[in-house]
């Protein structure tokens, strides 16, 4: 006997499969993080044309050459940063606002910087629709750092950067954590950098990946003769 699911049941079934089949197998076992993906509806932050792909293991185009990270990547970032309720967070690259919304559920306040005006407007509308008030979206180029509200307890860079500017590390509080994808294709590495004392840092390389670079990201020096 076939049991037909109504649209809402189908949506929740897809959400469940995203968590169980994509996120958990990628070593994300933190219940608080997993619960967020049930609570904060990802499909409501996805452009309408890609709503059908909200739970798919893929990067979703946002226009302007920008993307929304895959669900398992978003979840892994959250888990690895061990965010607490008192944390002041910087996000570089707001996109649709979904990552900022997730961060806002775990931390105290998120300052999210977006270089593209249309995406800033999209993110602000999405956050407002979900009554998320502890995110400030700012317009600007933060590819080389954003000192405006430093020091930060957590920094998340949502695009890759061939070279990680020191300004990000130097914007961390003692105990602060920074997530970045560093390098160029074919080798990029996701890293968490922790400030263990003023001017002293540890680096934990998590996995290899590939994701589009930030606009105006710092480039490696290329010598010509």
């Amino acid at each position: 006997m076939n049991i037909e699911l109504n649209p809402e049941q189908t949506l929740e079934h897809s959400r469940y499969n995203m968590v169980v089949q994509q996120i958990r197998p990628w070593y994300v076992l933190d219940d608080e993080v997993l619960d967020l993906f049930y609570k904060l509806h990802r499909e409501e932050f996805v452009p309408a044309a890609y709503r059908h792909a909200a739970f798919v293991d893929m990067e979703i185009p946002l226009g302007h050459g920008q993307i929304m990270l895959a669900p398992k990547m978003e979840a892994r970032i959250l888990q690895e940063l061990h965010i607490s309720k008192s944390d002041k967070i910087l996000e570089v690259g707001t996109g649709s606002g979904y990552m900022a919304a997730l961060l806002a559920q775990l931390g105290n306040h998120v300052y999210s910087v977006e270089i593209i005006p249309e995406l800033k407007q999209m993110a602000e509308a999405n956050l407002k629709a979900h009554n998320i008030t502890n995110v400030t979206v700012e317009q600007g180029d933060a590819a080389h750092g954003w000192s405006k509200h430093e020091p930060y307890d957590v920094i998340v860079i949502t695009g890759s950067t061939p070279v990680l500017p020191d300004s990000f590390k130097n914007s961390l509080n003692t105990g602060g954590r920074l997530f970045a994808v560093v390098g160029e294709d074919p080798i990029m590495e996701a890293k968490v950098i922790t400030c263990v004392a003023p001017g002293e840092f540890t680096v934990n390389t998590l996995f290899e990946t590939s994701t589009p670079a930030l606009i105006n990201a710092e480039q490696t020096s290329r010598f010509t003769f």
Side-chain angles (χ1 to χ4, degrees), residues 68-119:
M68 188 171 175
L69 293 170
K72 67 183 183 185
M73 183 76 153
E74 294 166 334
R76 187 73 183 273
I77 292 169
L78 295 175
Q79 176 174 272
E80 298 293 344
L81 288 170
H82 303 289
I83 298 165
S84 69
K85 276 295 181 187
S86 61
D87 283 345
K88 179 167 65 172
I89 301 168
L90 170 67
E91 179 191 35
V92 178
T94 316
S96 72
Y98 188 63
M99 191 68 185
L102 292 167
L103 292 164
Q105 302 300 304
L106 298 172
N108 180 41
H109 197 92
V110 180
Y111 294 97
S112 187
V113 186
E114 176 55 57
I115 194 171
I116 297 168
E118 292 85 352
L119 293 184

Side-chain angles (χ1 to χ4, degrees), residues 6-186:
N6 66 39
E8 187 172 334
Q9 288 173 317
T10 301
L11 204 61
E12 293 311 313
H13 185 66
S14 297
R15 197 185 320 283
Y16 173 82
N17 285 342
M18 173 186 70
V19 173
V20 173
Q21 296 176 5
Q22 295 174 42
I23 295 176
R24 284 184 65 91
W26 222 46
Y27 311 106
V28 180
L29 304 175
D30 184 316
D31 286 336
E32 187 176 17
V33 171
L34 295 173
D35 287 346
L36 278 182
F37 285 82
Y38 291 114
K39 174 185 172 185
L40 198 60
H41 291 176
R42 196 171 193 271
E43 71 278 8
E44 294 168 7
F45 287 80
V46 172
Y50 289 94
R51 191 178 170 100
H52 66 282
F55 308 114
V56 178
D57 183 13
M58 62 176 280
E59 294 177 340
I60 292 178
L62 296 175
H64 311 279
Q66 304 305 297
I67 57 94
M68 188 171 175
L69 293 170
K72 67 183 183 185
M73 183 76 153
E74 294 166 334
R76 187 73 183 273
I77 292 169
L78 295 175
Q79 176 174 272
E80 298 293 344
L81 288 170
H82 303 289
I83 298 165
S84 69
K85 276 295 181 187
S86 61
D87 283 345
K88 179 167 65 172
I89 301 168
L90 170 67
E91 179 191 35
V92 178
T94 316
S96 72
Y98 188 63
M99 191 68 185
L102 292 167
L103 292 164
Q105 302 300 304
L106 298 172
N108 180 41
H109 197 92
V110 180
Y111 294 97
S112 187
V113 186
E114 176 55 57
I115 194 171
I116 297 168
E118 292 85 352
L119 293 184
K120 175 179 182 285
Q121 291 170 6
M122 177 201 295
E124 286 178 322
N126 287 337
L127 292 163
K128 184 177 180 180
H130 289 79
N131 298 310
I132 295 169
T133 57
N134 60 329
V135 177
T136 303
V137 184
E138 298 181 314
Q139 176 93 40
D141 180 358
H144 298 263
W146 195 256
S147 61
K148 190 171 177 182
H149 309 286
E150 67 178 28
Y152 304 101
D153 302 299
V154 171
I155 300 174
V156 179
I157 305 174
T158 62
S160 63
T161 181
V163 176
L164 181 65
D166 286 340
S167 55
F168 286 112
K169 296 190 300 182
N170 295 332
S171 288
L172 289 173
N173 265 323
T174 300
R177 291 84 65 208
L178 158 66
F179 174 88
V181 175
V182 183
E184 299 174 89
D185 280 329

